[in-house]
Amino acid sequence: MVDQPSVERTADDMVAEADTGARNPSAAWQAKLIIGTCIAWSVFQLYIASRIPGIVAQATGVSMFANIVAQARYVHLAFAIMLATLAFPLFSSSPRDRIPWYDWALVVLGVGACMYLVVFRFQIADRPGLWSPTDIAMSSIGMVVLMISVYRSLGLPLVIIASAFILFAFFGGYSEWARNITNYGGASLSKALGHYWMQTEGVFGVALGVSTSMIFLFVLFGALLDRAGGGNWFIKVAIALLGALRGGPAKASVLSSMMTGMISGSSIANTVTTGTFTIPLMKRIGFPAEKAGAVEVASSTNGQLTPPVMGAAAFLMVEYVNIPYIDVVKHAFLPAVISYIALLYIVHLESLKMGLKGLEKPGRKIGVLMIMILFLSGFIVLGALAFLMIGLRTILDPVMGESVYAAVAVIAVLYVFLVGVAARYPELEMDKDEDGPPVAPRLTPTLISGLYFSIPIFILVWNLMVRTDTLERLSPALSAFWATIFMIIIGLTHRPLKAMFRGQGVAAETVQGWKDFVQGLILGARNMIGIGVATGAAGIIVGTISLTGAHQVIGQVIETISGGNLIILLVLVAVLSLILGMGLPTTANYIVVSSLMAPVIVSVGAQAGLIVPLIAVHMFVFYFGILADDTPPVGLAAYAAAAISRGDPIKTGIQGFGYDIRTALLPFLFIFNTDLLLIDVTLPHAVLVFFIALIAMLLFAAATQGYFIAKSRWWESALLLVICFMLFRPGFFLDQISEKYASASGPAAITLMEGAPQGQEVRLTVTGPDFDTGKMRPTTVVVPAIPGDAMTALSDQGLTVMEEGGALLLEEPFPGTPHFETLGTEYDYYGDNPVTITQVQVENDRMPKELFFIPALILLAGVVMIQRPRATQAPF
């Protein structure tokens, strides 16, 4: 029998070492300093997120309050460096029960380098680019201490990557090959360090700005929710809902990890939070240790792909892709739901193969109908909730208007009512009888006993997504602020309110509420240490790219290896994203892979004729970056799960990646079929896409598991893969029997454009001498057609075309026009060879590609008929 307390300590140690800091000083004043710094950081972040600084500045006329917000990035990084130094031992041999002298020195140097930018901000502003020796000295100190902080809190991977880019900034100009590609001649010490530290182009760039204004609040919100009992409620509800099904604890692990992962900033913390309870349960019903850990790993890493937070990457995508937050959620929603439903199905197939049962459960059992409802719940329930929110806001709008007080009153009444109802039920306690069979709790009392925890989540989603004629959506930062404020209120009051409704003593519960609140502030700050320093270090990579154009070197290498083949290109980018993402927290992971790999797909893909929306490119690299969390040999989430399951971490990681193959398939699919990202689709089409994609993903899971209705023969698995491909990529088969595009060149190309319907996309293949290398290369851009007037359509895009000798010559686009970044800066318009439009393509009017769903479904029916007689047990 597993020693549960020992398992919990091992798991907590794993989180401490990876996420929150493993040092626990024996000296009371040192421990209090770390705790006090954590609380101060959380309070500071709440303060700058509120409107109080602006109100105070306006009322008093003192600009100090506004300046605090303006300089928040520097203070944010100072807190992160200080806590990284105090909470994480530098080496494995470093003392964990005290803070050594060299760490005190690093604290002073690191905080001093950050606060130098605050204290001397006016003097620095008077000498932009003309950095003094003191500026360079402080920049050098800051960079060194930052890299040390990254090493001690995150390990070597990010340090190595960032160091490589720093070396390129200083010495890249000495490589003739790199210089020919990037046209970069190198940078002096003053220029490079000033770029990295003294400006907002490097360390203190967009990534750290998003960490300061948004990510911290969402991490703090999750920490407060967990400390108040919300995380425990998620797990208990999942066990109550799914525990009695075949392989129930594993399915509950998937559902609870999805719910906690939506607001969690760490797959490791997610693994431990839910896995501490679900992994032992999985083992008790018959799952091997490695498979139990792998289910938890796959569930937890996928939580970082699930809206609305996506490990905080959603807010970075808003900045990098330059689209509204609501659009990021819309595009990420369908793949995440399909991926989780497929994981539930994989768990079900594993349970069938092993002949497992579920937990015992008092009362009514959940049948096949409930399973089908569960499969569709992610799509239907969330969609219905959105319409419910909008409808509710429409009803309340005449009464509430824009009054915050009326909204607060409604929420307060609802909260007190739900707490009063919850007080009628006992506190959430799971079966812990190690001698008897594990028992799943009943759903209704479990759900009701913590339903009030859903209110701050409702507030968060409401503010982020719901907009009416009189009420605009709030920014993500302000939405998280108000949700966090209400979460604080719940943490402080739900215990004493329950005690009052039950007629029990209130004092002890009030004290416990304050302890939960303080612990939430501490945990939120400690969870942010790695993210804070990681976003600063990731800013070095972004800064190097803006300074040198280093991503062009990577693009040149991948272009050479791929030879223009799109599939090889995407596979190379996927593998590099996996490698770059190893050992990095979600936010730093996304910053690194999006900065390095996304431009490669955009530029090299355009040369091969691949034109996809930028959000699809960023989602592609983000998916593979996140999969690094369960990819051996570095997969940290796999090590955390193995610490709980007592299984082999490498085998756990390999098995977890095996479960996640379905997730690895999705990015390739939505690159070639952007319908999966709900880009330019109607509601009926979106519903069709969901069901077809869901069926295809379930078939893919069945094929990779070798089990469908019965154990599959090899040719049956192969046939399931063919059916899956037909459902996911019906356009491939349509392309084999009908040309997708009508093509023309020269004057005929203008005629082809003028015959295209209004607004239809027209693909232009532009060929000319590369600005850096002088070699002729093609790229593809898209413009909307204007029937009968091709020149106007081109002019609207800033493209001036002249016909000369049967060729379409392109003049240099002006800055600010739509295609200036792709055409105006990449080609030499004044060389010996002109830039020309060599080909125009307009999509042909063809039969609907969805017709190929019919033969696919007929084949599926055939597989069902073949396997049905071989079934040896009930499917559910």
Side-chain angles (χ1 to χ4, degrees):
M1 191 64 64
V2 174
D3 180 9
Q4 189 67 24
S6 176
V7 170
E8 290 177 353
R9 283 197 300 273
T10 304
D12 289 341
D13 289 343
M14 179 66 70
V15 174
E17 292 172 7
D19 274 6
T20 61
R23 179 172 283 149
N24 186 19
S26 56
W29 70 272
Q30 292 184 359
K32 289 180 180 178
L33 176 64
I34 295 176
I35 292 172
T37 305
C38 289
I39 295 173
W41 193 12
S42 294
V43 171
F44 170 77
Q45 294 290 157
L46 285 171
Y47 172 73
I48 63 171
S50 69
R51 296 178 177 176
I52 295 175
I55 295 173
V56 174
Q58 187 175 10
T60 62
V62 178
S63 62
M64 176 185 67
F65 298 98
N67 286 332
I68 289 175
V69 177
Q71 308 300 316
R73 295 182 188 185
Y74 310 126
V75 180
H76 180 85
L77 186 60
F79 272 117
I81 288 176
M82 180 175 179
L83 285 172
T85 306
L86 296 178
F88 289 86
L90 182 56
F91 304 107
S92 58
S93 59
S94 298
R96 299 193 175 195
D97 59 346
R98 60 184 176 84
I99 302 172
W101 67 268
Y102 53 81
D103 280 348
W104 291 114
L106 289 173
V107 166
V108 173
L109 292 173
V111 173
C114 293
M115 298 309 294
Y116 173 80
L117 300 172
V118 177
V119 175
F120 298 99
R121 60 187 180 277
F122 298 117
Q123 293 89 327
I124 293 171
D126 290 337
R127 54 174 187 270
L130 302 175
W131 313 121
S132 68
T134 305
D135 294 339
I136 302 305
M138 298 306 292
S139 298
S140 303
I141 291 171
M143 292 283 288
V144 170
V145 176
L146 173 61
M147 298 298 278
I148 293 173
S149 300
V150 172
Y151 166 72
R152 67 201 307 160
S153 58
L154 299 172
L156 275 175
L158 186 56
V159 174
I160 293 173
I161 296 171
S163 298
F165 277 83
I166 293 174
L167 291 174
F168 184 85
F170 286 117
F171 304 110
Y174 292 101
S175 169
E176 182 178 354
W177 173 69
R179 189 167 60 248
N180 289 338
I181 295 173
T182 63
N183 202 27
Y184 171 67
S188 64
L189 180 69
S190 174
K191 180 180 179 181
L193 288 177
H195 187 80
Y196 286 135
W197 194 264
M198 302 301 296
Q199 303 176 144
T200 55
E201 300 291 332
V203 172
F204 301 101
V206 172
L208 191 68
V210 174
S211 176
T212 305
S213 61
M214 300 183 201
I215 296 175
F216 191 104
L217 290 173
F218 280 90
V219 171
L220 179 60
F221 173 77
L224 290 167
L225 179 65
D226 183 60
R227 292 301 307 181
N232 184 52
W233 177 65
F234 283 153
I235 298 172
K236 305 296 175 59
V237 169
I239 293 288
L241 181 64
L242 303 177
L245 299 177
R246 187 187 294 272
K251 293 174 181 175
S253 171
V254 174
L255 183 61
S256 59
S257 294
M258 182 188 74
M259 292 189 293
T260 56
M262 287 191 300
I263 56 175
S264 171
S266 167
S267 56
I268 301 171
N270 194 1
T271 298
V272 172
T273 300
T274 57
T276 299
F277 186 79
T278 58
I279 289 176
L281 275 181
M282 282 188 265
K283 292 177 66 178
R284 289 175 67 185
I285 67 166
F287 267 84
E290 284 77 15
K291 287 192 175 183
V295 169
E296 183 59 51
V297 168
S299 307
S300 298
T301 52
N302 278 222
Q304 309 303 293
L305 307 173
T306 307
V309 179
M310 298 167 61
F315 315 115
L316 289 162
M317 285 186 186
V318 170
E319 300 292 331
Y320 289 164
V321 185
N322 195 27
I323 61 175
Y325 170 81
I326 190 69
D327 287 347
V328 173
V329 171
K330 181 184 74 173
H331 298 320
F333 174 72
L334 202 58
V337 171
I338 291 172
S339 180
Y340 264 110
I341 293 177
L343 183 55
L344 282 170
Y345 185 57
I346 288 174
V347 167
H348 182 70
L349 293 177
E350 287 279 27
S351 302
L352 281 171
K353 289 192 289 185
M354 291 185 284
L356 303 181
K357 302 296 182 182
L359 302 179
E360 294 295 324
K361 182 177 181 180
R364 188 176 59 178
K365 304 288 184 178
I366 299 178
V368 177
L369 180 61
M370 179 57 73
I371 295 175
M372 299 305 296
I373 292 174
L374 171 67
F375 272 16
L376 302 177
S377 62
F379 188 78
I380 296 175
V381 172
L382 292 179
L385 183 61
F387 284 108
L388 177 63
M389 286 181 174
I390 295 173
L392 181 62
R393 186 69 186 101
T394 304
I395 295 172
L396 296 177
D397 197 51
V399 178
M400 295 169 51
E402 299 184 21
S403 172
V404 174
Y405 302 106
V408 170
V410 171
I411 293 171
V413 171
L414 177 63
Y415 167 58
V416 174
F417 171 76
L418 289 178
V419 172
V421 174
R424 301 175 187 174
Y425 296 87
E427 292 295 325
L428 296 175
E429 293 291 342
M430 290 299 295
D431 172 67
K432 294 183 180 179
D433 183 8
E434 299 291 332
D435 298 324
V439 177
R442 296 195 61 186
L443 177 60
T444 302
T446 304
L447 182 65
I448 293 176
S449 62
L451 193 58
Y452 55 87
F453 286 121
S454 64
I455 296 178
I457 299 175
F458 181 87
I459 293 172
L460 175 64
V461 176
W462 176 292
N463 288 332
L464 284 172
M465 299 184 178
V466 178
R467 179 178 62 86
T468 66
D469 292 336
T470 59
L471 187 70
E472 293 293 325
R473 296 186 191 102
L474 297 183
S475 67
L478 205 53
S479 299
F481 170 76
W482 288 115
T484 303
I485 291 298
F486 195 80
M487 192 63 247
I488 292 173
I489 294 172
I490 287 181
L492 291 172
T493 62
H494 77 109
R495 292 179 182 274
L497 278 176
K498 279 185 180 178
M500 184 182 68
F501 281 119
R502 292 168 178 166
Q504 301 172 349
V506 174
E509 296 298 330
T510 302
V511 172
Q512 186 58 47
W514 275 101
K515 289 181 179 179
D516 289 343
F517 166 57
V518 173
Q519 287 299 316
L521 294 179
I522 296 170
L523 182 61
R526 296 195 77 140
N527 286 342
M528 271 300 300
I529 296 173
I531 298 174
V533 296
T535 50
I540 295 173
I541 299 170
V542 178
T544 302
I545 291 173
S546 65
L547 180 66
T548 68
H551 65 286
Q552 297 178 39
V553 175
I554 298 174
Q556 181 72 27
V557 172
I558 292 179
E559 180 185 2
T560 302
I561 296 175
S562 66
N565 185 292
L566 290 178
I567 298 299
I568 296 177
L569 163 68
L570 293 175
V571 169
L572 285 172
V573 170
V575 171
L576 285 173
S577 297
L578 275 173
I579 294 171
L580 290 170
M582 288 182 179
L584 301 184
T586 303
T587 44
N589 187 324
Y590 170 66
I591 296 166
V592 171
V593 298
S594 64
S595 300
L596 298 180
M597 296 291 101
V600 173
I601 298 179
V602 172
S603 60
V604 180
Q607 294 179 40
L610 176 66
I611 300 294
V612 292
L614 189 58
I615 183 63
V617 174
H618 278 252
M619 291 286 289
F620 182 93
V621 297
F622 178 56
Y623 262 60
F624 281 102
I626 291 303
L627 288 178
D629 276 350
D630 62 4
T631 304
V634 183
L636 298 179
Y639 280 88
I644 301 171
S645 70
R646 301 297 176 87
D648 182 272
I650 300 298
K651 292 180 180 178
T652 300
I654 293 172
Q655 184 67 65
F657 188 77
Y659 290 152
D660 265 341
I661 289 177
R662 83 212 182 281
T663 305
L665 175 68
L666 279 169
F668 287 96
L669 295 172
F670 57 59
I671 282 288
F672 292 105
N673 184 6
T674 56
D675 290 352
L676 287 172
L677 298 180
L678 300 181
I679 296 175
D680 298 328
V681 297
T682 60
L683 181 59
H685 190 195
V687 173
L688 175 65
V689 167
F690 170 73
F691 282 107
I692 293 298
L694 177 59
I695 294 171
M697 186 56 73
L698 297 182
L699 294 177
F700 180 80
T704 55
Q705 291 297 308
Y707 197 102
F708 185 35
I709 296 173
K711 186 176 180 180
S712 299
R713 300 185 177 102
W714 71 266
W715 60 269
E716 290 172 339
S717 294
L719 190 56
L720 288 175
L721 289 175
V722 171
I723 297 170
C724 172
F725 183 74
M726 292 177 70
L727 294 175
F728 268 129
R729 283 278 287 134
F732 173 83
F733 298 94
L734 181 58
D735 292 343
Q736 306 311 306
I737 63 174
S738 175
E739 288 290 337
K740 184 173 183 179
Y741 297 107
S743 303
S745 58
I750 300 299
T751 304
L752 180 62
M753 284 188 66
E754 292 176 343
Q758 176 75 33
Q760 181 175 349
E761 289 188 347
V762 176
R763 293 162 57 93
L764 309 179
T765 301
V766 177
T767 304
D770 186 277
F771 184 81
D772 294 313
T773 65
K775 296 180 180 179
M776 298 295 290
R777 67 170 181 85
T779 192
T780 304
V781 297
V782 174
V783 300
I786 299 179
D789 196 348
M791 291 303 180
T792 301
L794 294 171
S795 179
D796 288 345
Q797 300 293 307
L799 304 177
T800 303
V801 178
M802 297 184 299
E803 183 183 344
E804 184 177 305
L808 300 178
L809 305 185
L810 180 65
E811 293 188 0
E812 183 178 9
F814 288 106
T817 54
H819 297 286
F820 174 74
E821 293 296 329
T822 54
L823 298 178
T825 60
E826 295 188 4
Y827 287 109
D828 181 4
Y829 289 85
Y830 305 100
D832 295 334
N833 297 314
V835 180
T836 60
I837 297 177
T838 54
Q839 182 177 244
V840 170
Q841 293 179 316
V842 176
E843 189 167 356
N844 288 317
D845 186 14
R846 306 185 295 173
M847 71 174 78
K849 62 184 179 181
E850 288 76 14
L851 289 177
F852 286 91
F853 292 156
I854 297 175
L857 296 175
I858 292 173
L859 284 175
L860 175 59
V863 176
V864 171
M865 293 175 64
I866 292 171
Q867 287 203 355
R868 192 178 238 344
R870 303 205 312 267
T872 58
Q873 57 184 324
F876 300 106

